[in-house]
Amino acid sequence: METGVDRQAETYMEEPSRAEDAKDQCADWQYMQELFQMREVDVRVYSPLALAYIGDAVYDLIIRSLVLNEGNRQVQKMHRQTSSMVQASAQAKMASALQERMSGEEHAVYKRGRNARSMSPAKNQSVSDYHKATGFEALIGYLYLKREWKRMLELIKAGLDALESEQ
């Protein structure tokens, strides 16, 4: 009879190492760059609003994936749940909860995003929350473009945990 330890050891042996996983992700990124003839760009040259633009999409996709993973149900219900986690007020709370976890570099990116002046006004959100959310999205975009996906996901998880503990 197999013990829990034996099953854990088998699972561990089947999982690729972190180095292999990072190598695969890098290869996937390179494939996308080659396929679409994307040029290599230094992420530091992007404006904070450009970082927020891609960060918004990445964060939204992660949240939609989490909501979908909870099970098949009406799209309207999934959309409502997703909206509650991607709105500016939720992102602002996450950003506040993550302040102590951010490295100096991450905090600088967040502040650049937070302080950026967007042409579009905050919709149904406070201006303060909107700016904090823009900083959060800029940080997510920055980590995504730097291919620091593990760190990006760790911060999102910690932020979601903080949101959940508030409720």
Side-chain angles (χ1 to χ4, degrees):
M1 186 167 159
E2 212 174 77
T3 66
V5 173
D6 292 334
R7 280 191 299 272
Q8 284 178 334
E10 284 177 14
T11 301
Y12 179 76
M13 296 300 281
E14 292 170 6
E15 292 178 3
S17 71
R18 292 195 192 281
E20 289 172 357
D21 191 36
K23 187 178 172 183
D24 289 344
Q25 287 176 346
C26 187
D28 292 343
W29 185 270
Q30 288 173 342
Y31 176 72
M32 181 173 72
Q33 284 183 309
E34 290 170 13
L35 186 64
F36 293 106
Q37 299 175 348
M38 295 169 61
R39 59 188 166 87
E40 191 71 35
V41 178
D42 184 351
V43 69
R44 295 170 296 179
V45 303
Y46 286 115
S47 74
L49 294 178
L51 294 174
Y53 169 77
I54 193 70
D56 174 57
V58 170
Y59 178 68
D60 188 71
L61 180 60
I62 291 167
I63 297 303
R64 285 176 184 238
S65 299
L66 293 172
V67 168
L68 183 63
N69 187 255
E70 292 176 3
N72 195 19
R73 52 200 158 126
Q74 293 176 333
V75 173
Q76 181 182 14
K77 290 179 181 177
M78 290 189 290
H79 177 72
R80 207 173 308 126
Q81 184 180 0
T82 299
S83 294
S84 72
M85 290 188 279
V86 299
Q87 66 182 330
S89 59
Q91 290 180 0
K93 288 176 187 173
M94 290 174 65
S96 295
L98 294 173
Q99 292 299 308
E100 293 180 12
R101 291 178 179 261
M102 290 182 202
S103 70
E105 177 184 356
E106 291 167 347
H107 197 264
V109 171
Y110 165 76
K111 281 176 45 178
R112 281 182 56 220
R114 185 196 64 200
N115 296 335
R117 295 296 167 229
S118 172
M119 298 303 283
S120 61
K123 297 178 190 96
N124 303 319
Q125 304 290 326
S126 76
V127 173
S128 174
D129 281 355
Y130 185 76
H131 289 303
K132 289 176 185 175
T134 303
F136 174 76
E137 290 170 348
L139 175 58
I140 297 305
Y142 180 77
L143 293 171
Y144 171 76
L145 291 172
K146 282 191 71 179
R147 300 177 207 154
E148 292 184 18
W149 300 321
K150 180 180 178 209
R151 177 65 177 156
M152 177 187 72
L153 293 170
E154 288 170 352
L155 288 174
I156 291 171
K157 172 75 167 107
L160 290 173
D161 288 348
L163 269 183
E164 191 174 297
S165 68
E166 264 188 23
Q167 296 174 350

